[in-house]
């Protein structure tokens, strides 16, 4: 049986003869089982999904959450074999210092998608006038605590316009899932919603709406792969790989979200 060094030397030599460089070699993928917690959100019995007040009917429904695969890449500088050093020197005309031996690991991981609370608001406008969300306020209450405005996003809703006798849907977003407890009650409140106007279009009535949901997480498992590539890359490519990795680490090590 040939040693790993000899095999690497043979593969690299073939790459040198064909392309004039030493191409990195990828090992066969290894498989494992990964797990992630995914929430299920259901309306509490006392909460009606669709609520009609005045000339406006509003319903709120949670997103369906799934386990989604994504790939995380880790690059590190390693020590090459003696055969690799010789071949790099041949491929670069003796200037092997411009080549860096790297170990690149690409590993599939799981994340919950979407990565934050997301609800769909449906507006059925039965008014004789256009419904405008401007002036309305949306609040999220999680486990008895009001969520700060920086953790919520309802711009799409407050900028929404629904013509008379029409329906439209808008998305509202709450906190990131990794900031929530495994089990809690979520309250969604819509304040100062215009539900009636006079013939001149002046507001004659505003109403508040509220919904309560049960939030509970469960584990989901899926098979994932891990691939490792080792070999020489030029100095410029190495610097680009490390810069990308540093940018990802600057996010605080948080899992990227959709």
């Amino acid at each position: 049986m040939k040693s790993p060094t000899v095999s690497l030397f043979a593969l690299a030599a073939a790459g040198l003869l064909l392309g004039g460089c030493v191409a990195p070699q990828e090992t066969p993928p290894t498989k494992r089982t990964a797990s992630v917690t995914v929430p299920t959100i259901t309306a509490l019995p006392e909460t009606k999904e669709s609520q009609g007040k005045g000339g406006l009917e509003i319903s709120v429904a949670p997103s369906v959450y799934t386990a989604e695969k994504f790939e995380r890449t880790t690059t590190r500088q390693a020590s090459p074999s003696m055969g690799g050093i010789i071949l790099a020197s041949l491929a670069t005309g003796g200037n092997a210092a411009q080549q860096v031996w790297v170990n690149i690991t690409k590993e599939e991981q799981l994340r919950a998608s979407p990565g934050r609370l997301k609800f769909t608001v449906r507006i059925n406008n039965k008014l004789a006038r256009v419904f405008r969300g401007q002036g309305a306020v949306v609040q999220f209450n999680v486990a008895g605590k009001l969520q700060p405005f920086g953790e919520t996003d309802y711009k799409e809703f407050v900028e929404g316009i629904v013509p008379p006798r029409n329906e439209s849907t808008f998305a509202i977003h709450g906190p990131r899932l990794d900031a929530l407890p495994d089990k809690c009650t979520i309250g969604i409140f819509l304040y100062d919603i215009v539900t009636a106007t006079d013939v001149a279009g002046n507001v004659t009535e505003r109403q508040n709406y509220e919904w309560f949901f049960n939030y509970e997480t469960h584990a989901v498992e899926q098979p994932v792969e891990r691939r490792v590539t080792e070999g020489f890359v030029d100095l410029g490519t190495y610097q680009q790989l490390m810069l990308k990795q540093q940018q990802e680490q600057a996010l605080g090590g948080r899992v990227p979200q959709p």
Side-chain angles (χ1 to χ4, degrees), residues 12-248:
L16 176 62
L17 292 173
L18 292 174
C21 64
V22 184
Q25 302 297 321
E26 182 178 294
T27 60
T30 57
K31 296 185 178 182
R32 66 178 183 90
T33 299
S35 177
V36 66
T37 56
V38 175
T40 298
I41 303 177
T42 54
L44 295 184
E46 62 270 24
T47 293
K48 293 183 179 180
E49 179 180 330
S50 182
Q51 301 178 22
K53 296 182 181 182
L56 211 61
E57 185 173 335
I58 304 179
S59 63
V60 171
S63 288
V64 176
Y65 292 82
T66 60
E68 177 184 71
K69 290 183 180 179
F70 72 100
E71 189 173 76
R72 173 164 286 169
T73 301
T74 303
T75 304
R76 66 180 182 87
Q77 186 174 356
S79 300
S81 64
M82 182 58 68
I85 295 174
I86 295 173
L87 287 172
S89 180
L90 292 172
T92 59
N95 191 18
Q98 295 301 312
Q99 297 287 311
V100 180
W101 183 274
V102 295
N103 178 295
I104 303 174
T105 301
K106 294 184 177 181
E107 187 169 17
E108 290 182 328
Q109 297 184 2
L110 296 180
R111 65 186 174 194
S113 178
R116 59 189 299 192
L117 288 181
K118 181 180 179 181
F119 291 82
T120 298
V121 179
R122 180 180 296 275
I123 305 289
N124 182 358
N125 183 12
K126 300 177 183 179
L127 298 169
R129 299 284 179 175
V130 172
F131 165 80
R132 301 178 187 274
Q134 187 175 11
V137 175
V138 180
Q139 286 189 348
F140 278 88
N141 187 298
V142 178
K145 295 181 179 180
L146 186 65
Q147 299 302 296
F149 288 110
E151 299 296 329
T152 60
D153 179 6
Y154 52 90
K155 181 179 179 181
E156 182 178 319
F157 173 71
V158 297
E159 293 183 351
I161 295 176
V162 185
R165 294 172 293 280
N166 276 270
E167 282 190 356
S168 293
T169 59
F170 307 95
I172 58 175
H173 298 84
R176 290 170 50 89
L177 300 185
D178 55 15
L180 304 180
D182 292 336
K183 186 175 182 180
C184 63
T185 297
I186 296 173
I188 297 178
F189 308 93
L190 307 182
Y191 293 128
D192 286 346
I193 305 297
V194 176
T195 56
T197 58
D198 60 21
V199 293
N202 299 312
V203 176
T204 59
E205 182 181 88
R206 294 179 184 267
Q207 294 281 356
N208 300 328
Y209 295 73
E210 60 182 36
W211 291 261
F212 294 93
F213 298 88
N214 180 63
Y215 175 96
E216 189 168 359
T217 62
H218 60 280
V220 175
E221 294 185 344
Q222 289 186 15
V224 293
E225 290 187 350
R226 180 177 184 269
R227 304 188 309 278
V228 178
T229 300
E230 286 191 313
F232 281 104
V233 296
D234 62 78
L235 188 58
T237 299
Y238 173 72
Q239 292 172 341
Q240 291 176 0
L241 290 171
M242 295 308 297
L243 178 61
K244 181 180 179 181
Q245 184 167 290
Q246 290 170 4
Q247 290 172 340
E248 292 175 351

